[in-house]
mmCIF file of all heavy atoms in Angstrom:
data_model
loop_
_atom_site.group_PDB
_atom_site.id
_atom_site.type_symbol
_atom_site.label_atom_id
_atom_site.label_comp_id
_atom_site.label_asym_id
_atom_site.label_seq_id
_atom_site.Cartn_x
_atom_site.Cartn_y
_atom_site.Cartn_z
ATOM 1 N N ASP A 357 89.958 20.604 99.862
ATOM 2 C CA ASP A 357 88.804 21.504 99.874
ATOM 3 C C ASP A 357 88.820 22.245 101.197
ATOM 4 O O ASP A 357 87.849 22.178 101.962
ATOM 5 C CB ASP A 357 87.498 20.634 99.743
ATOM 6 C CG ASP A 357 87.297 20.107 98.270
ATOM 7 O OD1 ASP A 357 87.247 21.023 97.468
ATOM 8 O OD2 ASP A 357 87.003 18.975 98.171
ATOM 9 N N ILE A 390 94.579 34.945 91.662
ATOM 10 C CA ILE A 390 94.677 35.097 90.325
ATOM 11 C C ILE A 390 94.655 36.618 89.760
ATOM 12 O O ILE A 390 94.362 36.899 88.664
ATOM 13 C CB ILE A 390 93.498 34.372 89.568
ATOM 14 C CG1 ILE A 390 92.182 34.957 89.817
ATOM 15 C CG2 ILE A 390 93.566 32.936 89.856
ATOM 16 C CD1 ILE A 390 91.047 34.340 88.978
ATOM 17 N N ASP A 398 88.478 33.208 93.410
ATOM 18 C CA ASP A 398 87.306 32.363 93.734
ATOM 19 C C ASP A 398 86.687 32.790 95.107
ATOM 20 O O ASP A 398 87.196 33.614 95.793
ATOM 21 C CB ASP A 398 87.488 30.933 93.633
ATOM 22 C CG ASP A 398 88.524 30.392 94.547
ATOM 23 O OD1 ASP A 398 89.079 31.244 95.397
ATOM 24 O OD2 ASP A 398 88.832 29.212 94.572
ATOM 25 N N ARG A 399 85.572 32.190 95.510
ATOM 26 C CA ARG A 399 84.875 32.427 96.669
ATOM 27 C C ARG A 399 85.857 32.386 97.827
ATOM 28 O O ARG A 399 85.848 33.277 98.801
ATOM 29 C CB ARG A 399 83.751 31.345 97.053
ATOM 30 C CG ARG A 399 82.512 31.769 96.066
ATOM 31 C CD ARG A 399 81.351 30.793 96.701
ATOM 32 N NE ARG A 399 81.537 29.412 96.318
ATOM 33 C CZ ARG A 399 81.050 28.908 95.131
ATOM 34 N NH1 ARG A 399 80.386 29.751 94.215
ATOM 35 N NH2 ARG A 399 81.293 27.718 94.861
ATOM 36 N N GLU A 424 100.473 35.921 92.796
ATOM 37 C CA GLU A 424 100.027 35.165 91.660
ATOM 38 C C GLU A 424 100.933 34.103 91.276
ATOM 39 O O GLU A 424 101.992 33.946 91.876
ATOM 40 C CB GLU A 424 99.851 36.089 90.541
ATOM 41 C CG GLU A 424 98.746 37.214 90.781
ATOM 42 C CD GLU A 424 98.577 38.013 89.532
ATOM 43 O OE1 GLU A 424 97.993 37.489 88.499
ATOM 44 O OE2 GLU A 424 98.863 39.244 89.453
ATOM 45 N N VAL A 429 107.401 31.666 91.021
ATOM 46 C CA VAL A 429 108.643 31.545 90.233
ATOM 47 C C VAL A 429 109.652 32.645 90.551
ATOM 48 O O VAL A 429 110.889 32.267 90.665
ATOM 49 C CB VAL A 429 108.302 31.475 88.709
ATOM 50 C CG1 VAL A 429 109.560 31.477 87.901
ATOM 51 C CG2 VAL A 429 107.395 30.374 88.413
ATOM 52 N N LYS A 449 103.540 20.455 90.667
ATOM 53 C CA LYS A 449 104.022 19.303 89.702
ATOM 54 C C LYS A 449 104.287 20.048 88.279
ATOM 55 O O LYS A 449 105.172 19.607 87.571
ATOM 56 C CB LYS A 449 102.941 18.338 89.516
ATOM 57 C CG LYS A 449 102.854 17.445 90.722
ATOM 58 C CD LYS A 449 101.774 16.419 90.557
ATOM 59 C CE LYS A 449 101.714 15.451 91.851
ATOM 60 N NZ LYS A 449 100.530 14.702 91.812
ATOM 61 N N GLY A 450 103.621 21.154 87.983
ATOM 62 C CA GLY A 450 103.854 21.817 86.830
ATOM 63 C C GLY A 450 105.212 22.518 86.748
ATOM 64 O O GLY A 450 106.082 22.328 85.879
ATOM 65 N N THR A 458 114.119 22.381 81.909
ATOM 66 C CA THR A 458 114.706 23.612 81.506
ATOM 67 C C THR A 458 115.810 24.156 82.460
ATOM 68 O O THR A 458 116.575 25.019 82.129
ATOM 69 C CB THR A 458 113.691 24.747 81.280
ATOM 70 O OG1 THR A 458 113.258 25.078 82.730
ATOM 71 C CG2 THR A 458 112.574 24.344 80.355
ATOM 72 N N ASP B 954 90.539 43.956 83.475
ATOM 73 C CA ASP B 954 90.003 42.982 84.251
ATOM 74 C C ASP B 954 89.184 41.959 83.530
ATOM 75 O O ASP B 954 88.387 42.190 82.703
ATOM 76 C CB ASP B 954 88.936 43.814 85.200
ATOM 77 C CG ASP B 954 88.202 42.813 86.242
ATOM 78 O OD1 ASP B 954 88.845 42.404 87.136
ATOM 79 O OD2 ASP B 954 87.064 42.561 85.889
ATOM 80 N N ASP B 998 84.632 29.460 89.861
ATOM 81 C CA ASP B 998 83.937 28.470 90.713
ATOM 82 C C ASP B 998 83.018 27.555 89.880
ATOM 83 O O ASP B 998 81.758 27.635 90.223
ATOM 84 C CB ASP B 998 83.203 29.164 91.785
ATOM 85 C CG ASP B 998 84.016 29.696 93.026
ATOM 86 O OD1 ASP B 998 84.806 28.935 93.427
ATOM 87 O OD2 ASP B 998 83.943 30.987 93.259
ATOM 88 N N ILE B 1031 95.066 15.889 90.564
ATOM 89 C CA ILE B 1031 96.272 15.859 91.417
ATOM 90 C C ILE B 1031 96.800 14.295 91.630
ATOM 91 O O ILE B 1031 97.507 14.072 92.569
ATOM 92 C CB ILE B 1031 96.293 16.510 92.827
ATOM 93 C CG1 ILE B 1031 95.157 15.893 93.632
ATOM 94 C CG2 ILE B 1031 95.907 17.984 92.679
ATOM 95 C CD1 ILE B 1031 95.044 16.361 95.115
ATOM 96 N N ARG B 1040 86.354 17.856 95.465
ATOM 97 C CA ARG B 1040 85.031 17.412 95.238
ATOM 98 C C ARG B 1040 84.711 17.441 93.656
ATOM 99 O O ARG B 1040 84.165 16.493 93.224
ATOM 100 C CB ARG B 1040 83.966 18.252 96.037
ATOM 101 C CG ARG B 1040 83.984 17.846 97.498
ATOM 102 C CD ARG B 1040 82.761 18.611 98.072
ATOM 103 N NE ARG B 1040 83.121 19.952 98.326
ATOM 104 C CZ ARG B 1040 83.629 20.559 99.398
ATOM 105 N NH1 ARG B 1040 83.927 19.766 100.353
ATOM 106 N NH2 ARG B 1040 83.892 21.817 99.454
ATOM 107 N N GLU B 1065 97.987 15.388 85.202
ATOM 108 C CA GLU B 1065 98.417 16.265 86.357
ATOM 109 C C GLU B 1065 99.245 17.432 85.919
ATOM 110 O O GLU B 1065 99.435 17.558 84.687
ATOM 111 C CB GLU B 1065 99.427 15.271 87.218
ATOM 112 C CG GLU B 1065 98.688 14.171 87.860
ATOM 113 C CD GLU B 1065 99.574 13.392 88.760
ATOM 114 O OE1 GLU B 1065 99.941 13.951 89.785
ATOM 115 O OE2 GLU B 1065 99.951 12.194 88.454
ATOM 116 N N VAL B 1070 103.312 20.376 81.029
ATOM 117 C CA VAL B 1070 104.536 20.731 80.565
ATOM 118 C C VAL B 1070 105.016 19.729 79.577
ATOM 119 O O VAL B 1070 105.662 20.102 78.546
ATOM 120 C CB VAL B 1070 105.547 20.777 81.837
ATOM 121 C CG1 VAL B 1070 106.971 20.882 81.352
ATOM 122 C CG2 VAL B 1070 105.103 21.923 82.838
ATOM 123 N N LYS B 1090 100.147 31.251 84.818
ATOM 124 C CA LYS B 1090 101.035 32.326 85.156
ATOM 125 C C LYS B 1090 102.436 31.853 85.752
ATOM 126 O O LYS B 1090 103.387 32.332 85.413
ATOM 127 C CB LYS B 1090 100.460 33.321 86.082
ATOM 128 C CG LYS B 1090 99.365 34.216 85.535
ATOM 129 C CD LYS B 1090 98.696 35.090 86.454
ATOM 130 C CE LYS B 1090 97.700 35.985 85.802
ATOM 131 N NZ LYS B 1090 96.832 36.665 86.739
ATOM 132 N N GLY B 1091 102.333 30.662 86.505
ATOM 133 C CA GLY B 1091 103.518 30.091 86.927
ATOM 134 C C GLY B 1091 104.390 29.568 85.839
ATOM 135 O O GLY B 1091 105.503 29.954 85.839
ATOM 136 N N THR B 1099 113.658 30.652 81.880
ATOM 137 C CA THR B 1099 114.540 29.501 81.619
ATOM 138 C C THR B 1099 114.454 29.056 80.094
ATOM 139 O O THR B 1099 115.161 28.184 79.734
ATOM 140 C CB THR B 1099 114.024 28.294 82.440
ATOM 141 O OG1 THR B 1099 112.812 27.957 81.943
ATOM 142 C CG2 THR B 1099 114.083 28.605 83.924
#
Side-chain angles (χ1 to χ4, degrees):
Chain A
D357 285 307
I390 62 174
D398 58 0
R399 280 188 290 267
E424 298 188 65
V429 172
K449 286 179 178 165
T458 65
Chain B
D954 178 76
D998 285 307
I1031 62 172
R1040 280 188 290 268
E1065 298 189 65
V1070 172
K1090 286 179 179 165
T1099 65

